[in-house]
Amino acid sequence: MIPYGRQNICEDDISAVVDVLRSDFLTQGPKVYQFEQAVSEYCGANYAVATNNATAALHIACLALDVSDEDFVWTSANSFVASANCARYCGAQVDFIDINKSTGNISIEALTEKLSLARQSDTLPKVVIPVHFAGQSCDMEALHKLSLVYGFSIIEDASHALGGQYKQKPIGSCRYSDICVFSFHPVKMITTAEGGMAITNSDVLDKKLRLYGNHGIVKESQALAPWFYEQHALGHNYRMPDLNAALGLNQLSKLNEWVEKRNQLANFYKHHLASLNIECLTIIEDCTSSYHLFVILLAKEKRLAAYQLLKSHGIATQVHYIPIVMQPDYQALGFSVEQLPTTQQYYEQCLTLPLYPDLTHEQQGNICSLLATLVND
Ligand SMILES: *Cc1c(COP(=O)(O)O)cnc(C)c1O
């Protein structure tokens, strides 16, 4: 079976992990620190806090920005459930911004309208969480401008987007946000098995992220005795082990090559699908996508048939995403997808084709030929 995405593990990744197994520290050793340094340097940001997954990083990002049960947090419904759940862990009420169908990213027009209505009803969000869908940045400069007018903070859910660029800067530079979060789940750009990271340029936020990800414990107040530590807040154990960090560090050295390869494979798809009149997501000016996902938009009636046809030939596709508002747990909160007409339309048409560095043009050609038989009948 050709999967829609998969990790790339080489012998050097394996030895990096085995070296840690033979060392003194399986967790809280030097590799986590080195991995944090390497990612923050890659992004051109000041601080990075490694966590045991991106969901945990999103949670401590909300805590660091003081999200509580009095607050509203907005995100995109075209995302994985974690983008919204993180705010609910803090007791906040979540709401969703509609998207642009051609990118899958939040629509700045829809957001602008929603903000002006929220001002009238005194329900402005404390935090907005843009999701850089498929690896392409949202319009961060426009979002940042709105944040200055309406006074919200910004957490980028860049789980898809490590290695992508926005306005000539790496995603994760936090030029237009408070915190940026990456995921290192195996289908993402690089992997640590489970793992995530929160990036920031703020010294204050860095300290708070570390506090909430490590039981709320601080070790600086050691005046009393060298073994002393104090719990200053109710935190969590969200630490990344050294084993995982060693894998991530080694994977990071291959990231640029993989982004290039993914872009090259994406161009192959685009070229071949254009002749079939199959619509692909658009990359806007100022953006270089990491191409975590390659998404096409099919006629509504053809989507299931395409999924089944490819599957019968050993090719897995996927739908990114079932809108979060359609999940039973969100339906129970009163959400409905009709409130997000573009998200709904997009959902009915989208299909993610296989894309990962080891995919071959031959396999891609085969996928395109199968799609051709479908769209032509
Ligand atoms: C994968 C993903 C997450 C969660 O990442 P984990 O590391 O699995 O917790 C959050 N948001 C988005 C958009 C994702 O794709």
Side-chain angles (χ1 to χ4, degrees):
M1 196 81 177
I2 298 178
Y4 83 84
R6 66 163 285 133
Q7 73 274 18
N8 186 315
I9 300 289
C10 301
E11 278 309 313
D12 51 311
D13 294 306
I14 294 168
S15 13
V17 176
V18 170
D19 287 348
V20 175
L21 278 171
R22 296 190 205 283
S23 79
D24 291 336
F25 300 100
L26 301 188
T27 188
Q28 291 175 277
K31 289 295 170 191
V32 169
Y33 176 75
Q34 287 170 29
F35 186 38
E36 288 175 343
Q37 292 288 307
V39 176
S40 60
E41 235 165 74
Y42 181 90
C43 295
N46 293 342
Y47 306 98
V49 179
T51 56
N52 52 358
N53 56 65
T55 306
L58 287 165
H59 184 195
I60 57 173
C62 287
L63 290 170
L65 292 167
D66 300 318
V67 171
S68 78
D69 56 8
E70 286 163 15
D71 298 317
F72 297 89
V73 173
W74 294 359
T75 185
S76 167
N78 180 35
S79 187
F80 185 56
V81 291
S83 305
N85 288 347
C86 59
R88 289 177 60 198
Y89 299 149
C90 305
Q93 245 175 285
V94 296
D95 205 355
F96 299 91
I97 308 153
D98 212 353
I99 60 170
N100 287 320
K101 200 170 141 196
S102 61
T103 61
N105 279 336
I106 53 165
S107 152
I108 295 296
E109 294 71 38
L111 174 62
T112 307
E113 207 173 300
K114 198 172 166 66
L115 283 166
S116 106
L117 287 172
R119 172 133 76 187
Q120 288 161 30
S121 57
D122 205 16
T123 54
L124 282 169
K126 176 165 207 156
V127 175
V128 171
I129 307 179
V131 179
H132 300 326
F133 183 74
Q136 168 165 235
S137 178
C138 295
D139 186 349
M140 292 306 294
E141 194 173 13
L143 186 60
H144 179 72
K145 277 190 190 142
L146 287 170
S147 78
L148 298 178
V149 176
Y150 290 96
F152 57 82
S153 301
I154 300 173
I155 301 171
E156 297 172 76
D157 183 344
S159 293
H160 298 182
L162 181 65
Q165 297 211 348
Y166 175 71
K167 292 195 187 272
Q168 276 80 50
K169 285 211 160 65
I171 292 178
S173 74
C174 296
R175 181 170 174 202
Y176 297 111
S177 70
D178 297 279
I179 299 169
C180 179
V181 168
F182 294 118
S183 171
F184 308 125
H185 180 279
V187 296
K188 305 291 164 70
M189 296 301 298
I190 64 170
T191 191
T192 60
E194 293 279 0
M197 204 172 274
I199 315 290
T200 184
N201 285 323
S202 153
D203 166 51
V204 174
L205 288 176
D206 172 61
K207 289 208 170 75
K208 288 173 88 170
L209 288 164
R210 286 185 192 285
L211 181 80
Y212 285 114
N214 188 25
H215 307 278
I217 285 172
V218 290
K219 289 185 177 164
E220 281 132 41
S221 49
Q222 288 174 338
L224 287 173
W227 57 80
F228 204 70
Y229 61 84
E230 281 179 345
Q231 181 181 331
H232 283 200
L234 185 63
H236 303 267
N237 180 354
Y238 283 165
R239 295 186 309 253
M240 177 184 283
D242 256 39
L243 282 174
N244 304 64
L247 178 56
L249 192 58
N250 206 63
Q251 291 255 304
L252 186 65
S253 65
K254 304 167 191 177
L255 175 63
N256 286 344
E257 192 189 309
W258 288 343
V259 171
E260 208 167 294
K261 188 71 199 291
R262 283 172 177 273
N263 271 272
Q264 194 197 324
L265 294 165
N267 285 335
F268 183 97
Y269 270 139
K270 280 194 224 172
H271 179 76
H272 287 79
L273 295 172
S275 59
L276 302 175
N277 276 325
I278 292 179
E279 189 182 348
C280 307
L281 291 194
T282 316
I283 302 301
I284 58 171
E285 218 184 307
D286 293 332
C287 287
T288 305
S289 179
S290 66
Y291 268 112
H292 162 53
L293 301 175
F294 191 85
V295 177
I296 58 171
L297 298 172
L298 292 165
K300 204 166 140 176
E301 336 60 81
K302 302 260 172 155
R303 201 252 309 261
L304 179 61
Y307 180 96
Q308 285 169 336
L309 175 69
L310 290 168
K311 191 171 173 204
S312 72
H313 285 82
I315 298 154
T317 58
Q318 186 52 280
V319 166
H320 294 95
Y321 284 98
I322 303 163
I324 298 174
V325 289
M326 288 176 72
Q327 297 296 342
D329 193 41
Y330 281 82
Q331 298 267 298
L333 294 172
F335 289 105
S336 121
V337 77
E338 281 81 42
Q339 299 161 292
L340 304 166
T342 310
T343 303
Q344 183 177 25
Q345 271 180 27
Y346 166 88
Y347 167 60
E348 289 169 346
Q349 293 182 249
C350 67
L351 193 67
T352 303
L353 301 183
L355 182 64
Y356 47 89
D358 288 342
L359 190 73
T360 65
H361 286 333
E362 195 189 333
Q363 290 169 321
Q364 288 186 291
N366 187 22
I367 291 166
C368 294
S369 308
L370 288 166
L371 288 171
T373 64
L374 194 90
V375 294
N376 290 336
D377 70 30

